[in-house]
Amino acid sequence: MFLLPDALRTELRATLRLAGPVVAAQLAHISMGFVDTVMVGRLGPDALAGVALGNTLFFFFAIMGMGMVRAVGPMVSQAVGANTPTAVGRSVRQGLWLAAGLGLVILLILSNVEPVLRWTGQRPVAIDGATRYLDAIRWGILPFLGFAALRSFVEGLSRPLPVTIIAFVGVAVNIGANELLMFGRWGLPALGLAGTGWASTIVFSFLFGALALFVHRTAPFAEHGVFTRIREPDRTYLGELVRIGAPMGASRGVESSLFTMTTVMMGTLGTTALAAHQVAIQCAAFAFMVPLGIGMAGTVRVGQAAGASDEAGARRAGGVAMGLATFFMVGTAVLFWTLPRPLVGLYLDLSDPGNAAVVTLAVQLLGVAAVFQLFDGLQVAAHGALQGLKDTRVPMGIAMVTYWGIGLTTGYLWGVWGGGGPEALWWGLVVGLAAAAVLLVLRFHRQVGRAVREEAVPDAEDGEASVDVSPVPAKEEPTG
């Protein structure tokens, strides 16, 4: 590190300082999924298959909605870089309106998924478990998206520590709620998989409520008056959020669908395959939280540099984020290759003969996961850097081509149609993620100069570089 140029060393330190709390928050969030999987594992492989199916469907829509709402992040970070504080509060308020609208739509969809599950040929026991789980967790989608909007605001101001603290408290709430509702404690009925879903809804509500209270009462967040001036939707800023966020949400939805459809195809191969897939994907998802957090930090760092019209700084910030993400994933790949059984043992009792088939297959899948980890980390960091430039439409197209056209097609032809089985389905993930990583990195290096120049436009009110490319109404909201 001491041999690095001063500017690169400074950027590396700034990214690590911002990414540390963001990564910790991501690990706290995925710990909730880890806790759910471990505790559901005590109910047996059939229950594990049910939660795998239900959890995958819920988070497919939740991640797609979150991708749209997280457009608040680049808008806030570029407003900070351009020193236009009025744009910060307006962006966050419209992010909350967007979260509410998307949440209602997703709630309606999740209330009517059972016929689709039957149509895809899932095992009846998995459908029953997934339905009971979804009937409970669907009510958590509104606070989930509201929390995502406020989190983007806090991180866009380069102050991610409050989110980290709240997220870790949420892990403790999740453990307690699971114990009470899944297994029945203190006179409460044992709800099984439904209890897991209700526990998640309680946790999402706690996360949103705690962060909302914090930003409403604590400086510097309270200065932006997020809740005191929320009133009604602002068409100008809401339109800008949708313009940036719709491709972000679509990209995240396409990426998530790669794993969702792989899970659905895995379910057609039996509950053993589905349970093993759930264990292995949880291990991979836990590791993925680190490059995801680094990518979020990269969005902020690139966005602030772009807002300040600093092309070299934006390019450096993106490169540092991608390098850090890839470096970490090399370490997790080695871990997956060398210690797969102990990792699987975190979720399942290795000495139980009833788990033997699931354990064996999960170990095999972790060997494939070691390879796709490398590309997954690089592509998510590149995606984050592009979001910092507010470049979202072309990355959406890249996601569609690579995840659907290459990844899903390869997995289906090799794993299902060709009879290659669960491992072949996962090799489809590898191919799709590798193609995405290459194309997204190339896109960032080609786009960064153009995007920075386009952001250097005067603001109608403040006479400074602005976060917004759409016109700002003449009548501005007060900042006090």
Side-chain angles (χ1 to χ4, degrees), residues 69-406:
V69 170
R70 284 194 69 87
V72 169
M75 290 187 69
V76 167
S77 61
Q78 288 202 10
V80 170
N83 194 26
T84 54
T86 54
V88 174
R90 295 176 70 181
S91 298
V92 183
R93 287 190 286 276
Q94 300 319 301
L96 291 172
W97 278 108
L98 181 60
L102 289 173
L104 292 174
V105 172
I106 295 173
L107 177 62
L108 181 62
I109 294 172
L110 291 176
S111 300
N112 297 278
V113 296
E114 183 176 356
V116 178
L117 294 178
R118 298 191 184 282
W119 176 76
T120 59
Q122 302 300 306
R123 300 298 194 271
V125 66
I127 293 175
D128 178 66
T131 302
R132 285 187 283 124
Y133 174 81
L134 287 170
D135 282 346
I137 197 174
R138 60 181 175 170
W139 300 105
I141 189 62
L142 284 164
F144 178 91
L145 295 179
F147 176 76
L150 293 180
R151 177 181 176 176
S152 297
F153 164 45
V154 172
E155 292 172 354
L157 295 184
S158 298
R159 296 173 181 266
L161 187 58
V163 172
T164 305
I165 295 171
I166 291 171
F168 273 102
V169 175
V171 175
V173 174
N174 188 47
I175 294 172
N178 268 338
E179 188 69 24
L180 287 173
L181 299 176
M182 282 180 62
F183 304 108
R185 300 288 188 265
W186 295 355
L188 295 174
L191 301 178
L193 287 185
T196 311
W198 284 116
S200 296
T201 293
I202 291 170
V203 171
F204 296 150
S205 300
F206 163 77
L207 293 175
F208 174 71
L211 189 55
L213 184 63
F214 180 84
V215 301
H216 181 59
R217 294 192 172 183
T218 308
F221 314 106
E223 297 168 5
H224 297 282
V226 171
F227 293 102
T228 57
R229 296 193 297 274
I230 195 165
R231 294 194 296 271
E232 68 277 335
D234 178 331
R235 287 184 296 177
T236 299
Y237 273 65
L238 187 58
E240 178 73 352
L241 273 173
V242 172
R243 184 188 72 81
I244 299 169
M248 289 172 61
S251 296
R252 285 287 166 251
V254 170
E255 180 184 1
S256 181
S257 72
L258 175 63
F259 295 93
T260 300
M261 292 307 299
T262 299
T263 300
V264 171
M265 289 188 286
M266 197 72 73
T268 66
L269 302 179
T271 55
T272 295
L274 193 55
H277 171 80
Q278 174 68 2
V279 170
I281 206 68
Q282 277 294 314
C283 292
F286 204 95
F288 177 72
M289 291 302 104
V290 176
L292 178 59
I294 293 171
M296 290 176 178
T299 298
V300 174
R301 294 294 302 166
V302 171
Q304 290 179 350
S309 301
D310 181 3
E311 178 181 342
R315 192 179 298 276
R316 187 164 51 247
V320 166
M322 287 183 267
L324 284 173
T326 304
F327 178 77
F328 174 81
M329 288 305 235
V330 169
T332 62
V334 172
L335 186 65
F336 285 6
W337 271 319
T338 56
L339 298 171
R341 283 186 64 84
L343 290 174
V344 174
L346 295 174
Y347 298 88
L348 295 171
D349 183 357
L350 300 179
S351 63
D352 186 348
N355 294 333
V358 177
V359 169
T360 299
L361 182 54
V363 167
Q364 294 170 352
L365 294 180
L366 280 180
V368 184
V371 181
F372 87 61
Q373 289 282 96
L374 303 176
F375 300 112
D376 207 10
L378 179 57
Q379 67 84 23
V380 76
H383 225 137
L386 287 165
Q387 288 174 7
L389 300 174
K390 295 201 289 192
D391 179 27
T392 57
R393 294 184 182 180
V394 171
M396 176 186 67
I398 290 174
M400 288 180 176
V401 171
T402 55
Y403 299 147
W404 287 350
I406 299 176

